[in-house]
Amino acid sequence: MILLHGDNPALSRRRLSEIRSQFTGEVISLDAKETDPTNFSQATQSQALFALNKLVIIENPQSNKKLLPLLSHIENLSLVLIENKKLTPTEIGHLQKVLPALKIEEFKLDPVVFKFLEAIAPTNQKNLLPLWQKYRSSEEPEIILTMLARQIRLLLLVKSQAATGPEDFLRLSPWQKSRLSSQSQHFTLTSLLELHHQLLNLDYQNKTGTSLLSLPDSLELLLLRL
């Protein structure tokens, strides 16, 4: 039984992929936000005809308090809980009361990531590029692309004064929104939309192998053109 959490969801997702690829048997993925106790019980108790092992992956377990007591009834199954955020010690404690054998794996962001993301602004290459080089040398390009896309998405939401949005936006603290608001002043809404579109294109080209440049070089070119 494993809990994957932390402020680096890209790394936790990579770890989840590793677990899935190494597992032989039936894999069931459930999102606690969209699963009621009845469906949860049916999914975790039913056995596939030829499956010798079963791996149950539960996303966002903290979002559905009704499911937490049911976790203790899971038997003869491999269980992975994954949260796309860092849980507090209290939240982890609640899970460990239900699952005493739960192993915790936290995935943290390198401090240079925050500095790099906050330095993204037009004509700021003097400060941005040294941070980019440090980040580039220590992280896989796909994860950098994911973090860049997330930052631009958050800037778009703040710039447009959105009242709602995805979970990572809604749980931002006031000081985080204030810093994003300050950073967004360096962009127009149109330029942020264009930047977001460019990142989507890079992701598509990387996945389809249609880019003439490597992903790190494509990202660097994008930053140079800010």
Side-chain angles (χ1 to χ4, degrees):
M1 296 181 178
I2 303 173
L3 167 66
L4 310 178
H5 79 116
D7 50 19
N8 193 335
L11 276 184
S12 61
R13 289 285 165 184
R14 185 202 298 174
R15 172 64 173 137
L16 179 61
S17 295
E18 291 175 356
I19 294 172
R20 293 187 68 142
S21 65
Q22 295 169 2
F23 186 80
T24 302
E26 182 185 8
V27 178
I28 296 176
S29 294
L30 301 172
D31 190 335
K33 293 180 180 178
E34 303 171 356
T35 305
D36 60 38
T38 300
N39 291 335
F40 176 81
S41 297
Q42 291 175 345
T44 55
Q45 291 175 7
S46 62
Q47 295 292 328
L49 184 59
F50 300 106
L52 299 179
N53 301 304
K54 181 181 286 189
L55 170 64
V56 177
I57 300 168
I58 302 177
E59 302 204 27
N60 310 302
Q62 285 291 324
S63 67
N64 192 336
K65 304 302 182 184
K66 293 181 179 179
L67 295 187
L68 292 183
L70 301 179
L71 295 177
S72 61
H73 300 302
I74 294 180
E75 297 179 353
N76 303 318
L77 300 175
S78 297
L79 177 66
V80 176
L81 309 179
I82 180 167
E83 288 277 2
N84 291 322
K85 62 180 181 180
K86 179 179 179 178
L87 296 185
T88 66
T90 299
E91 290 172 327
I92 293 174
H94 289 158
L95 290 171
Q96 289 180 319
K97 283 183 179 179
V98 179
L99 301 168
L102 186 66
K103 296 180 180 179
I104 312 299
E105 296 187 18
E106 181 181 350
F107 299 87
K108 301 179 180 180
L109 281 175
D110 188 318
V112 73
V113 179
F114 297 107
K115 295 179 181 179
F116 165 71
L117 294 175
E118 291 181 349
I120 296 172
T123 68
N124 191 37
Q125 283 81 3
K126 181 179 179 180
N127 297 316
L128 179 61
L129 292 180
L131 293 168
W132 156 250
Q133 293 299 334
K134 289 182 180 179
Y135 192 16
R136 174 177 177 166
S137 66
S138 63
E139 189 56 273
E140 293 187 8
E142 288 79 10
I143 292 180
I144 297 176
L145 176 59
T146 298
M147 297 304 297
L148 263 173
R150 176 181 181 273
Q151 185 74 1
I152 299 306
R153 175 168 50 81
L154 292 176
L155 288 171
L156 269 169
L157 289 166
V158 170
K159 186 74 173 179
S160 61
Q161 298 182 337
T164 187
E167 184 181 356
D168 59 348
F169 174 70
L170 295 177
R171 68 170 183 262
L172 289 174
S173 64
W175 70 266
Q176 288 175 313
K177 286 187 177 181
S178 177
R179 297 185 75 156
L180 284 167
S181 180
S182 296
Q183 185 179 4
S184 72
Q185 299 306 309
H186 297 288
F187 297 90
T188 64
L189 191 58
T190 300
S191 64
L192 283 172
L193 287 169
E194 175 59 26
L195 188 52
H196 189 260
H197 180 68
Q198 291 175 21
L199 290 169
L200 289 176
N201 279 340
L202 286 183
D203 184 47
Y204 174 79
Q205 291 171 1
N206 182 57
K207 289 177 178 176
T208 58
T210 54
S211 176
L212 298 177
L213 299 174
S214 67
L215 182 54
D217 288 344
S218 295
L219 289 170
E220 185 164 321
L221 184 60
L222 181 146
L223 296 173
L224 287 169
R225 289 175 172 173
L226 283 176

